[in-house]
Amino acid sequence: MLMLPERSLAGPPGAGATGPGPAGSGPDGLRRRLADALDEAALFDDADPAGAAVARVVAVSGAGQVALDAALEAAVARLAAAPEAGASWDRVLWDAAADAVAQERLAEAVILLAALAVAPGGRAEGLLGLAVCAARLAVYEEARILALASRDDGPGHPRALYVAGLCALEQGDRRAAQSFLATAARIARRRAEFREDARLAQRLLLIMHIA
């Protein structure tokens, strides 16, 4: 099952400090911070398709304002319970989102990742996580847009190319899918920490070859 990668685009998330973590923020402060981030994430730039894709993924994941409000409260509670051992905001958001994805709480994960996407230096990681969530929600066009935006903004995590390839295949674009997946596999083979990404890409390429 498609998950967030264990490592970020440029080493462990939080390798560069991107603002204070949740320590001392309190639920009200965290709620405002996440709500503001959601608004900002949907308005990256009028000419930026990633902004519209984020808004669409947030809407689909929440399935209504009541559900979205509940997911926001759950995200606040998750952050409030996060360890306070000096972790940066981006590190806390990434870890909380990874846990939420693993628990199938995608609306909660989307809120956390949208906040990461607007954190200083967190856009590429946040968009990659949102692409993973969008693919799991079967919102393939938005997932593809977000995955490619993440690739363009960061050093090119192979998981972004894998997601783009998976989405292209689901959309019937086998040529693009093969190109994305082959590139993902080639990048992933160069580094041991991307072994899982190489396996995912090669497995999907094999399935395409057999089909």
Short mmCIF file of all heavy atoms in Angstrom, two decimals, residues 8 12-22 33 86-94 115-125:
data_model
loop_
_atom_site.label_atom_id
_atom_site.label_comp_id
_atom_site.label_asym_id
_atom_site.label_seq_id
_atom_site.Cartn_x
_atom_site.Cartn_y
_atom_site.Cartn_z
N SER A 8 12.79 12.18 3.88
CA SER A 8 12.28 13.31 3.12
C SER A 8 13.10 13.51 1.86
O SER A 8 14.01 12.77 1.53
CB SER A 8 12.36 14.57 3.97
OG SER A 8 13.69 15.02 4.06
N PRO A 12 16.52 13.48 6.41
CA PRO A 12 15.42 13.42 7.37
C PRO A 12 14.65 14.73 7.42
O PRO A 12 15.25 15.80 7.40
CB PRO A 12 16.15 13.17 8.70
CG PRO A 12 17.45 12.59 8.32
CD PRO A 12 17.82 13.21 7.01
N PRO A 13 13.30 14.69 7.40
CA PRO A 13 12.54 15.92 7.54
C PRO A 13 13.02 16.70 8.76
O PRO A 13 13.29 16.12 9.80
CB PRO A 13 11.10 15.43 7.71
CG PRO A 13 11.09 14.09 7.06
CD PRO A 13 12.46 13.51 7.32
N GLY A 14 13.11 18.01 8.60
CA GLY A 14 13.57 18.83 9.70
C GLY A 14 15.06 19.02 9.70
O GLY A 14 15.61 19.60 10.63
N ALA A 15 15.74 18.54 8.65
CA ALA A 15 17.19 18.72 8.59
C ALA A 15 17.55 20.19 8.59
O ALA A 15 18.57 20.59 9.09
CB ALA A 15 17.75 18.04 7.32
N GLY A 16 16.66 21.01 8.02
CA GLY A 16 16.82 22.46 8.11
C GLY A 16 15.70 22.99 8.96
O GLY A 16 14.54 22.68 8.71
N ALA A 17 15.98 23.79 9.98
CA ALA A 17 14.93 24.28 10.85
C ALA A 17 13.96 25.14 10.08
O ALA A 17 14.34 25.98 9.28
CB ALA A 17 15.54 25.10 11.99
N THR A 18 12.67 24.92 10.29
CA THR A 18 11.65 25.69 9.59
C THR A 18 10.64 26.21 10.57
O THR A 18 9.44 26.10 10.38
CB THR A 18 10.94 24.83 8.52
OG1 THR A 18 10.29 23.74 9.17
CG2 THR A 18 11.91 24.29 7.51
N GLY A 19 11.09 26.78 11.63
CA GLY A 19 10.17 27.36 12.59
C GLY A 19 9.98 26.48 13.79
O GLY A 19 10.34 25.30 13.79
N PRO A 20 9.44 27.04 14.85
CA PRO A 20 9.29 26.29 16.10
C PRO A 20 8.28 25.18 15.98
O PRO A 20 7.36 25.23 15.18
CB PRO A 20 8.80 27.38 17.08
CG PRO A 20 8.13 28.39 16.20
CD PRO A 20 8.91 28.40 14.93
N GLY A 21 8.49 24.17 16.80
CA GLY A 21 7.55 23.06 16.85
C GLY A 21 6.33 23.42 17.67
O GLY A 21 6.11 24.58 18.00
N PRO A 22 5.52 22.42 18.06
CA PRO A 22 4.27 22.70 18.74
C PRO A 22 4.41 23.02 20.20
O PRO A 22 3.43 23.39 20.85
CB PRO A 22 3.49 21.40 18.54
CG PRO A 22 4.54 20.35 18.48
CD PRO A 22 5.70 20.99 17.76
N ARG A 33 -2.97 27.84 13.57
CA ARG A 33 -1.82 27.63 12.68
C ARG A 33 -2.19 26.70 11.53
O ARG A 33 -1.85 26.95 10.37
CB ARG A 33 -0.66 27.05 13.49
CG ARG A 33 0.71 27.20 12.87
CD ARG A 33 1.80 26.87 13.88
NE ARG A 33 3.11 27.04 13.30
CZ ARG A 33 4.23 26.81 13.96
NH1 ARG A 33 4.19 26.41 15.22
NH2 ARG A 33 5.41 26.98 13.37
N GLY A 86 12.49 19.46 21.22
CA GLY A 86 13.17 20.37 20.31
C GLY A 86 12.97 20.10 18.84
O GLY A 86 13.69 20.64 18.01
N ALA A 87 12.00 19.27 18.49
CA ALA A 87 11.75 18.97 17.08
C ALA A 87 11.22 20.21 16.37
O ALA A 87 10.44 20.98 16.92
CB ALA A 87 10.76 17.82 16.94
N SER A 88 11.64 20.41 15.13
CA SER A 88 11.17 21.54 14.35
C SER A 88 9.75 21.29 13.86
O SER A 88 9.27 20.16 13.83
CB SER A 88 12.11 21.80 13.17
OG SER A 88 12.11 20.69 12.29
N TRP A 89 9.10 22.36 13.43
CA TRP A 89 7.71 22.29 12.98
C TRP A 89 7.57 21.32 11.81
O TRP A 89 6.64 20.51 11.77
CB TRP A 89 7.26 23.69 12.60
CG TRP A 89 5.87 23.87 12.09
CD1 TRP A 89 5.51 24.42 10.90
CD2 TRP A 89 4.62 23.53 12.75
NE1 TRP A 89 4.13 24.46 10.77
CE2 TRP A 89 3.57 23.92 11.89
CE3 TRP A 89 4.31 22.95 13.98
CZ2 TRP A 89 2.23 23.74 12.23
CZ3 TRP A 89 2.97 22.77 14.31
CH2 TRP A 89 1.95 23.16 13.45
N ASP A 90 8.48 21.37 10.84
CA ASP A 90 8.35 20.48 9.68
C ASP A 90 8.55 19.02 10.07
O ASP A 90 7.87 18.14 9.57
CB ASP A 90 9.30 20.90 8.55
CG ASP A 90 10.77 20.83 8.93
OD1 ASP A 90 11.09 20.97 10.12
OD2 ASP A 90 11.61 20.64 8.02
N ARG A 91 9.46 18.76 11.00
CA ARG A 91 9.67 17.39 11.46
C ARG A 91 8.43 16.85 12.15
O ARG A 91 7.99 15.72 11.91
CB ARG A 91 10.86 17.37 12.43
CG ARG A 91 11.10 16.05 13.15
CD ARG A 91 11.98 15.14 12.33
NE ARG A 91 11.27 13.99 11.80
CZ ARG A 91 11.85 13.03 11.10
NH1 ARG A 91 13.13 13.09 10.82
NH2 ARG A 91 11.17 12.01 10.64
N VAL A 92 7.83 17.67 13.00
CA VAL A 92 6.63 17.24 13.73
C VAL A 92 5.48 17.00 12.76
O VAL A 92 4.75 16.00 12.86
CB VAL A 92 6.25 18.30 14.79
CG1 VAL A 92 4.90 17.98 15.41
CG2 VAL A 92 7.31 18.37 15.87
N LEU A 93 5.30 17.90 11.80
CA LEU A 93 4.22 17.74 10.83
C LEU A 93 4.41 16.47 10.00
O LEU A 93 3.46 15.71 9.78
CB LEU A 93 4.18 18.95 9.90
CG LEU A 93 3.63 20.25 10.49
CD1 LEU A 93 3.87 21.41 9.53
CD2 LEU A 93 2.15 20.13 10.82
N TRP A 94 5.63 16.23 9.53
CA TRP A 94 5.89 15.04 8.71
C TRP A 94 5.62 13.76 9.51
O TRP A 94 4.95 12.84 9.02
CB TRP A 94 7.32 15.05 8.20
CG TRP A 94 7.65 13.87 7.32
CD1 TRP A 94 8.17 12.68 7.72
CD2 TRP A 94 7.42 13.77 5.91
NE1 TRP A 94 8.32 11.84 6.63
CE2 TRP A 94 7.87 12.47 5.52
CE3 TRP A 94 6.91 14.64 4.95
CZ2 TRP A 94 7.80 12.05 4.20
CZ3 TRP A 94 6.86 14.21 3.63
CH2 TRP A 94 7.29 12.92 3.27
N ALA A 115 -0.13 22.00 5.79
CA ALA A 115 0.64 22.91 6.66
C ALA A 115 2.13 22.80 6.38
O ALA A 115 2.85 23.80 6.37
CB ALA A 115 0.34 22.59 8.12
N LEU A 116 2.60 21.59 6.13
CA LEU A 116 4.01 21.40 5.80
C LEU A 116 4.35 22.07 4.47
O LEU A 116 5.42 22.67 4.32
CB LEU A 116 4.34 19.91 5.73
CG LEU A 116 5.76 19.53 5.32
CD1 LEU A 116 6.78 20.14 6.26
CD2 LEU A 116 5.91 18.01 5.26
N ALA A 117 3.44 22.00 3.51
CA ALA A 117 3.71 22.56 2.18
C ALA A 117 3.91 24.06 2.20
O ALA A 117 4.56 24.61 1.31
CB ALA A 117 2.57 22.19 1.23
N VAL A 118 3.34 24.75 3.19
CA VAL A 118 3.51 26.20 3.26
C VAL A 118 4.54 26.61 4.31
O VAL A 118 4.80 27.79 4.49
CB VAL A 118 2.17 26.92 3.53
CG1 VAL A 118 1.18 26.64 2.42
CG2 VAL A 118 1.58 26.51 4.88
N ALA A 119 5.14 25.64 5.00
CA ALA A 119 6.21 25.95 5.94
C ALA A 119 7.47 26.31 5.16
O ALA A 119 7.70 25.77 4.06
CB ALA A 119 6.50 24.76 6.85
N PRO A 120 8.29 27.22 5.65
CA PRO A 120 9.53 27.57 4.94
C PRO A 120 10.38 26.33 4.66
O PRO A 120 10.71 25.58 5.57
CB PRO A 120 10.24 28.52 5.92
CG PRO A 120 9.13 29.11 6.73
CD PRO A 120 8.12 28.00 6.89
N GLY A 121 10.66 26.11 3.40
CA GLY A 121 11.47 24.96 3.01
C GLY A 121 10.72 23.64 2.97
O GLY A 121 11.30 22.61 2.68
N GLY A 122 9.40 23.65 3.25
CA GLY A 122 8.66 22.40 3.33
C GLY A 122 7.78 22.08 2.14
O GLY A 122 7.11 21.05 2.12
N ARG A 123 7.77 22.94 1.13
CA ARG A 123 6.84 22.76 0.02
C ARG A 123 7.02 21.43 -0.70
O ARG A 123 6.04 20.71 -0.94
CB ARG A 123 6.98 23.91 -0.97
CG ARG A 123 6.09 23.76 -2.21
CD ARG A 123 6.22 24.95 -3.15
NE ARG A 123 5.79 24.63 -4.48
CZ ARG A 123 4.67 25.09 -5.05
NH1 ARG A 123 3.89 25.90 -4.39
NH2 ARG A 123 4.36 24.75 -6.28
N ALA A 124 8.25 21.08 -1.08
CA ALA A 124 8.47 19.85 -1.85
C ALA A 124 8.01 18.62 -1.06
O ALA A 124 7.34 17.74 -1.59
CB ALA A 124 9.94 19.72 -2.24
N GLU A 125 8.36 18.57 0.23
CA GLU A 125 7.94 17.45 1.08
C GLU A 125 6.43 17.41 1.25
O GLU A 125 5.80 16.35 1.17
CB GLU A 125 8.60 17.55 2.45
CG GLU A 125 10.08 17.26 2.43
CD GLU A 125 10.69 17.43 3.82
OE1 GLU A 125 10.09 18.08 4.68
OE2 GLU A 125 11.78 16.89 4.01
#
